[in-house]
Amino acid sequence: MKFKKVSSLFLAATLGATILTGCSSSNDDKGAAKDSNGNTELVWYMIGTPQPDQAKVMEEVNKYTKEKIGVTIDLRMVDWGDYGQKMQVITSSGEPYDLAFASDYSINAQKGAYLEITDEMLDKNAKELKEAINPLFLEGASINGKLYGIPANKEVGQQMGWAYNVEMAKKAGVDMSNVKTLEDLGPVLEKVKAKNPDLKMPMAAGANFMPYMPYDLLLGDNLPFAISLEGDTSKIVNLYEQEDVKKTLNTLRDFYKKGYIHSQAATDTDPHEMSVQNWFVRKEQYAPGAKEMWSSNAGYEIGYTPMHDPLTINNSVTGSVMSISATSQHPDEALKFLNLLNTDEYLRNLIDRGIEGVHYKTNEDKTITKTEEAKGYNMPSWALGNVLITKSYDTDPKDRIEQYEEFNKSAVASPTLGFYVDTTEISNEVANISNIVQEFKSPLFTGSVDTDKYLNELNKKLDAAGIDKVMENIQAQYDKWMADKK
């Protein structure tokens, strides 16, 4: 991919030219409700499977946050497959809450779902946070110069690849080192399936599965508006009209018919935790130390083969953002909590790793080892804030932090980096098109339906919903953004 290396200067220039108009907000506290001890309770919606030991850990968290900043946390975990829809309902209803893992960050910021975090708010309540987080992330999460959430301080680039069961690969006599595409994977799955006829999922896929495709989906996975990363980078296209995408869907259909994808995949929202040995290979997003973490969670060795070089797109910068709700009655307290979460090693590790002496033990070299009780508390580390202050497991590479630095240096910038679509004039069409795509996406990407028939039906519905009008609108915005960059 012939893109520029990521740099702060590049991001400042491109992201400063973003075109999305967000809502303004005040940093004034809206009358926080206090308990009898003067503490404020914050409602926090978080993506991920609810954990058996969640209440036990949060009891310890609240003891600490009460003492440090006078707040307690009502953590509400929502399972992976349900999170986006759940937050849509909450946003539409106007239900008050304080914090949330940002689903479709740029779209929901545009809708006014998230509070603008001003420089004044940061200076007042989160000075340490500003110093701790790589400025690329704060720049990248800024939409038209306005910040609507705090990104996780982690890898700035995105790299998809195949995570696979190493022992199963050895027994089947397959080599994953050169497997990049779905087509490359086919012969491997054939051998693995033959060797393991009762294996439920040679390739793990569920209702939220999408294969890697070299496109930047400008408004997220539930909308079809895309720009090719390997072809014409100046043109907005409908993903579902592209020949290479159709080829991918046909391959997935072949996999489904051969039993490589399980029969209920299109309706299965179970994320198939790494601890369940019921799959051979799955698409994963890489980060330094990820392979070791996957192996630790699974209890057996997980290998990894990258599909492409690290690439910085809007989603890689804003794919893990914690936002303050526009309905929050205590935004100052919410930002104080985010500041603590991203800068206080004890709190960050307590929420992520669990309770020391219960879920892990600390070794002489300051690494940590999971206990048997760790099975009751397994959180999505990448989504919980500053990854670089988390404790390293004894299975992590010794140079984990240095690997992050090298990985970030190697990332290249997508030509679309910094372009955010303003949907103000096309909001009704976008909403209708999103509903249509969600109706067809899971059956198509799990190979559960006839490709030609369903693609034709999908594109007919998209035409009727006004996709041409939307694409013309987005193209005009993109052309202007490209011209302004010159």
Side-chain angles (χ1 to χ4, degrees):
M1 296 182 182
K2 300 178 181 179
F3 306 143
K4 298 178 182 178
K5 289 282 183 181
V6 178
S7 68
S8 181
L9 180 63
F10 174 76
L11 280 172
T14 57
L15 298 175
T18 54
I19 57 178
L20 179 58
T21 302
C23 64
S24 62
S25 59
S26 168
N27 67 335
D28 294 334
D29 186 87
K30 301 178 183 178
K34 308 286 185 179
D35 65 17
S36 59
N37 296 315
N39 297 303
T40 300
E41 182 178 76
L42 302 176
V43 175
W44 179 16
Y45 281 101
M46 186 62 207
I47 192 169
T49 306
Q51 296 297 302
D53 284 359
Q54 180 178 318
K56 183 189 299 184
V57 173
M58 292 309 296
E59 182 179 355
E60 295 301 313
V61 167
N62 287 331
K63 287 178 186 177
Y64 189 71
T65 55
K66 265 186 188 180
E67 179 184 340
K68 296 291 286 188
I69 55 174
V71 305
T72 59
I73 307 297
D74 176 4
L75 177 61
R76 303 179 183 181
M77 301 291 293
V78 181
D79 224 333
W80 302 91
D82 302 324
Y83 189 80
Q85 184 177 4
K86 171 78 171 178
M87 296 312 297
Q88 282 183 22
V89 171
I90 289 171
T91 300
S92 299
S93 70
E95 175 189 324
Y97 68 94
D98 299 290
L99 293 159
F101 177 83
S103 175
D104 292 327
Y105 171 71
S106 65
I107 294 177
N108 283 312
Q110 178 179 215
K111 288 179 179 178
Y114 306 137
L115 192 75
E116 180 195 341
I117 301 174
T118 64
D119 287 339
E120 292 77 14
M121 288 181 72
L122 287 171
D123 290 339
K124 178 183 176 183
N125 299 308
K127 283 185 178 180
E128 298 88 353
L129 184 151
K130 282 180 70 175
E131 295 174 1
I133 293 181
N134 185 330
L136 294 178
F137 284 102
L138 294 178
E139 292 170 6
S142 296
I143 300 170
N144 199 27
K146 296 179 179 180
L147 185 66
Y148 296 94
I150 303 300
N153 196 37
K154 57 185 187 67
E155 70 279 5
V156 73
Q158 185 179 87
Q159 184 183 64
M160 297 298 178
W162 299 114
Y164 62 95
N165 184 320
V166 171
E167 184 62 26
M168 203 175 288
K170 289 179 180 176
K171 288 183 177 179
V174 298
D175 179 7
M176 287 289 293
S177 60
N178 293 313
V179 175
K180 305 291 184 184
T181 67
L182 279 170
E183 288 72 26
D184 294 338
L185 189 61
V188 170
L189 293 176
E190 182 179 9
K191 292 180 181 178
V192 170
K193 179 70 173 175
K195 196 74 174 178
N196 304 272
D198 296 328
L199 184 64
K200 182 180 179 183
M201 290 176 291
M203 187 181 85
N208 298 304
F209 172 75
M210 284 187 76
Y212 171 72
M213 296 170 287
Y215 290 88
D216 188 352
L217 291 170
L218 299 175
L219 287 170
D221 293 352
N222 290 329
L223 286 159
F225 312 110
I227 291 179
S228 173
L229 297 173
E230 295 181 348
D232 185 351
T233 60
S234 67
K235 184 179 179 183
I236 311 295
V237 299
N238 172 6
L239 183 76
Y240 298 99
E241 288 184 336
Q242 306 313 301
E243 285 301 316
D244 57 342
V245 173
K246 184 176 179 180
K247 179 183 177 183
T248 292
L249 293 173
N250 280 328
T251 300
L252 290 167
R253 178 61 175 161
D254 181 59
F255 285 6
Y256 180 87
K257 290 194 291 187
K258 290 178 176 176
Y260 304 160
I261 298 173
H262 78 105
S263 60
Q264 303 302 312
T267 57
D268 189 353
T269 58
D270 183 348
H272 306 300
E273 295 291 347
M274 284 291 184
S275 58
V276 181
Q277 194 167 355
N278 60 359
W279 57 274
F280 165 66
V281 68
R282 61 188 285 164
K283 186 192 81 170
E284 283 287 357
Q285 182 172 328
Y286 177 77
K291 186 171 65 170
E292 291 81 5
M293 179 187 69
W294 298 332
S295 298
S296 175
N297 288 342
Y300 51 87
E301 186 179 359
I302 300 293
Y304 176 78
T305 303
M307 300 177 191
H308 60 91
D309 293 332
L311 176 67
T312 301
I313 59 176
N314 288 344
N315 187 55
S316 68
V317 180
T318 63
S320 180
V321 174
M322 207 68 69
S323 291
I324 299 172
S325 171
T327 65
S328 173
Q329 295 183 15
H330 9 84
D332 280 349
E333 282 86 350
L335 186 54
K336 287 177 183 177
F337 173 72
L338 290 180
N339 182 64
L340 200 65
L341 179 65
N342 283 276
T343 60
D344 188 297
E345 291 186 16
Y346 174 77
L347 177 63
R348 178 65 176 83
N349 284 284
L350 178 60
I351 290 178
D352 186 345
R353 302 325 199 193
I355 303 168
E356 183 175 10
V358 177
H359 300 104
Y360 68 88
K361 65 176 184 178
T362 302
N363 305 310
E364 289 186 5
D365 63 358
K366 296 185 179 181
T367 63
I368 61 176
T369 300
K370 289 183 179 181
T371 65
E372 188 66 24
E373 285 79 8
K375 293 178 181 178
Y377 195 73
N378 185 16
M379 296 289 279
S381 182
W382 57 272
L384 288 166
N386 189 354
V387 172
L388 302 188
I389 60 172
T390 55
K391 295 181 178 182
S392 293
Y393 287 108
D394 54 359
T395 54
D396 287 334
K398 301 297 183 185
D399 60 344
R400 181 171 68 103
I401 303 305
E402 290 79 6
Q403 285 190 27
Y404 269 99
E405 293 172 354
E406 289 303 314
F407 185 84
N408 286 344
K409 286 179 183 178
S410 71
V412 294
S414 159
T416 58
L417 182 64
F419 174 64
Y420 290 96
V421 178
D422 181 351
T423 62
T424 303
E425 297 180 359
I426 49 177
S427 58
N428 290 335
E429 290 86 355
V430 166
N432 290 334
I433 288 170
S434 177
N435 289 334
I436 292 167
V437 170
Q438 290 181 72
E439 176 188 350
F440 285 84
K441 187 178 73 169
S442 295
L444 280 169
F445 283 119
T446 54
S448 304
V449 295
D450 179 83
T451 302
D452 289 337
K453 178 182 176 181
Y454 270 71
L455 265 185
N456 289 337
E457 188 176 343
L458 168 59
N459 282 314
K460 284 180 182 178
K461 287 194 173 186
L462 292 177
D463 288 341
I467 190 173
D468 288 343
K469 172 188 173 181
V470 176
M471 288 179 65
E472 288 174 8
N473 183 289
I474 297 175
Q475 185 70 61
Q477 292 184 46
Y478 187 57
D479 290 345
K480 182 179 184 303
W481 179 77
M482 292 290 288
D484 289 345
K485 282 207 311 178
K486 295 179 180 177

